[in-house]
Amino acid sequence: MAEKPIIDERRCRGCGLCVSVCHLHGLVLVGKVVVVVETVQCDWCADCELVCPNGAIACPFEIVLLQN
Amino acid sequence: MTVDLEFLKDSPYFAGLTPAQLQSVRDRVFERSFDRGEMVSLEGEVSATLYIVVSGVVKIFMTSADGKEQILSIVRPGESFNDVPAFDGGPNPAGARAMGPVLLYGISGDDMKAVLWEHPPIAINVVRTLASRVRHLISLVEDLSFKHVIGRVARILLENVAGEIGSGPRMTQQEMAAMAGTAREVVGRSLKSLEDRGAIRLDRHRIVITDEEALRRIMEPS
């Protein structure tokens, strides 16, 4: 299963800015909280993280060495 | 659609105006909408329009001669942009692009000056807004001029590399920015620069160190 951004529901205020910028339409508002669409193949552009005024979305990177 | 008086009342520029005064502002305000990726204004273009974001998000950025982008700010609902060319009539110092569907209120620089003549008390709103803009830009200038951010980002990557996939810490660009003592916008640019130099590859949720030696040289230039 593809990795997905992490939503902190306690911080999310449901403003929907992340929903508006996701070019894969991978975020939706359910009530006053944003959720990640189960089937989205997130490309980790991190625009959602960038625009969130409350720091409620995280697109964390794992750092790995290239295996030869 | 009519321009929303309640929205104008809460915007940084027009806070404190009476309903009648707000009405005179509304008569000068127009709406514009953009889809994701559309340019609202171009760097260097003379447009002299002040915009306030009603919904959506706008990215303000500059582009270098070799195509590198530096984000200056992210403008959210209630915030304004293009203030400088609207007030001084000069070219736009930066470009503005819609990050998703965006609705804006615009007011020409001439109309904004007319509003100021008619309602001098809001001059303090203008001063306060421009001062906060200057403060933000000074902080960004400091980051870009005096801090060797790219070296610090290289160090953060090397110190947090996972021994095997799934075993290391995972970090957002915001967390890297906090560790490097810089702005998230600068971290994004540093990662892109490291990728351009062949030291790393951004592979969705992974940062793959493709040339460890190159990354070490960037971390500690001789």
Side-chain angles (χ1 to χ4, degrees):
Chain A
M1 193 161 50
E3 288 283 332
K4 293 180 174 50
I6 299 163
I7 313 287
D8 185 339
E9 294 184 5
R10 294 165 304 170
R11 290 186 170 187
C12 179
R13 298 284 179 269
C15 70
L17 290 184
C18 55
V19 176
S20 76
V21 302
C22 179
H23 68 116
L24 297 171
H25 308 291
L27 297 164
V28 289
L29 273 176
V30 177
K32 291 293 277 179
V33 174
V34 73
V35 297
V36 184
V37 174
E38 196 57 38
T39 52
V40 71
Q41 297 288 316
C42 178
D43 64 1
W44 233 247
C45 72
D47 278 356
C48 54
E49 180 189 283
L50 179 65
V51 304
C52 179
N54 303 307
I57 295 196
C59 295
F61 288 96
E62 180 179 33
I63 302 155
V64 296
L65 270 175
L66 179 68
Q67 302 296 318
N68 293 314
Chain B
M1 252 174 85
T2 52
V3 171
D4 183 354
L5 272 186
E6 281 299 306
F7 180 88
L8 284 182
K9 180 169 72 71
D10 291 335
S11 78
Y13 278 119
F14 306 120
L17 289 182
T18 66
Q21 291 168 333
L22 278 170
Q23 183 63 52
S24 78
V25 173
R26 180 163 79 174
D27 294 342
R28 296 175 161 107
V29 171
F30 56 89
E31 276 189 359
R32 290 191 72 186
S33 56
F34 295 86
D35 283 329
R36 178 189 165 83
E38 278 191 276
M39 292 298 295
V40 178
S41 55
L42 296 169
E43 186 179 336
E45 177 188 57
V46 177
S47 63
T49 300
L50 171 75
Y51 289 108
I52 302 171
V53 177
V54 180
S55 64
V57 188
V58 174
K59 176 166 73 174
I60 309 300
F61 65 99
M62 299 184 79
T63 311
S64 67
D66 58 353
K68 286 199 175 69
E69 183 181 281
Q70 174 61 55
I71 299 176
L72 299 183
S73 61
I74 299 295
V75 190
R76 301 183 178 85
E79 298 171 344
S80 61
F81 63 96
N82 247 29
D83 322 57
V84 171
F87 286 117
D88 74 3
N92 299 331
R97 179 184 289 129
M99 292 185 71
V102 167
L103 177 64
L104 306 172
Y105 286 167
I107 180 168
S108 75
D110 286 343
D111 278 341
M112 192 64 198
K113 286 170 202 156
V115 169
L116 271 166
W117 280 112
E118 289 167 18
H119 313 296
I122 68 163
I124 194 68
N125 293 350
V126 176
V127 170
R128 196 177 287 128
T129 304
L130 292 179
S132 95
R133 201 83 82 238
V134 170
R135 185 175 290 282
H136 171 78
L137 289 174
I138 286 174
S139 161
L140 199 57
V141 166
E142 182 193 9
D143 278 2
L144 293 170
S145 310
F146 303 124
K147 296 181 179 172
H148 301 289
V149 176
I150 194 165
R152 292 192 206 177
V153 172
R155 178 182 297 277
I156 289 166
L157 297 181
L158 286 164
E159 289 179 349
N160 290 281
V161 66
E164 49 189 86
I165 287 174
S167 68
R170 297 183 60 179
M171 276 188 295
T172 64
Q173 293 185 52
Q174 184 60 54
E175 287 163 340
M176 289 183 217
M179 291 172 76
T182 188
R184 186 198 184 283
E185 293 89 332
V186 182
V187 168
R189 179 180 157 138
S190 298
L191 290 174
K192 281 272 179 289
S193 180
L194 289 172
E195 190 173 37
D196 290 345
R197 296 189 200 186
I200 65 168
R201 186 179 72 229
L202 296 170
D203 184 9
R204 289 172 58 142
H205 67 286
R206 289 204 177 96
I207 295 173
V208 182
I209 298 175
T210 50
D211 188 340
E212 188 178 351
E213 282 312 306
L215 201 55
R216 288 192 186 284
R217 282 196 299 276
I218 293 166
M219 181 179 80
E220 288 170 346
S222 50

